[in-house]
Amino acid sequence: IQIDNDHVKACRELTSIVIMKGVRRLALIGGSTNHVVNLTRRKGFESGLREQGIAVNQDLIYMDCEMDSAVGRAVDDCLRNQVECIICTDDRICHSVLEKLERDRVRIPDQMKVASFYSSIMLENNQPAITSLHYDPKELGVVACRTLFDYLAGKEVQKKVLLGYEVVLKGSTQ
């Protein structure tokens, strides 16, 4: 039994929106490929590119960026390759990207647009505010508990439930 957010659909939608705003060269910086969530978010990113008629460029997908140094190398490569927007698989990676861009005096969104496939308090006070996906963790917990209780009571439950999300467009992709 699986209860989760619909990461593929959410990431596809955010990627598509950024492209519809005129961005053509996007990069993805992500965490460990040992985590299913990073793989599903990558799948959504690639699906969004294809949906908008943009070929997936594997050279602009940087996975397993667990350390700030790996994120920094990915950002340097993005700048060299004239990427217009960096999309991060989560808030921690996005925070590291933002710090690197600030150190390099790269202006957001003028010189580089930035978005995150996960929002949290970590990104809340950034200026400009960061375009991101918002999931409701309370709803996730409630649905998971309700499903577990129903299952333990012998009731039939759905094998897979995917919950919604909200695309929050902010200044970092304007």
Side-chain angles (χ1 to χ4, degrees), residues 76-111:
D76 286 339
D77 200 54
C78 288
L79 293 169
R80 271 192 305 278
N81 285 295
Q82 300 176 334
V83 165
E84 298 171 79
C85 180
I86 296 173
I87 298 182
C88 308
T89 58
D90 63 49
D91 54 341
R92 186 199 59 78
I93 289 172
C94 189
H95 183 72
S96 182
V97 165
L98 295 169
E99 286 180 335
K100 170 68 171 149
L101 291 172
E102 184 177 343
R103 281 193 308 274
D104 291 351
R105 294 191 169 97
V106 175
R107 292 184 321 277
I108 300 166
D110 302 329
Q111 295 174 295

Side-chain angles (χ1 to χ4, degrees), residues 157-169:
V157 297
Q158 289 181 307
K159 296 290 184 212
K160 186 173 188 175
V161 176
L162 295 177
L163 301 177
Y165 58 90
E166 181 182 3
V167 177
V168 183
L169 298 174

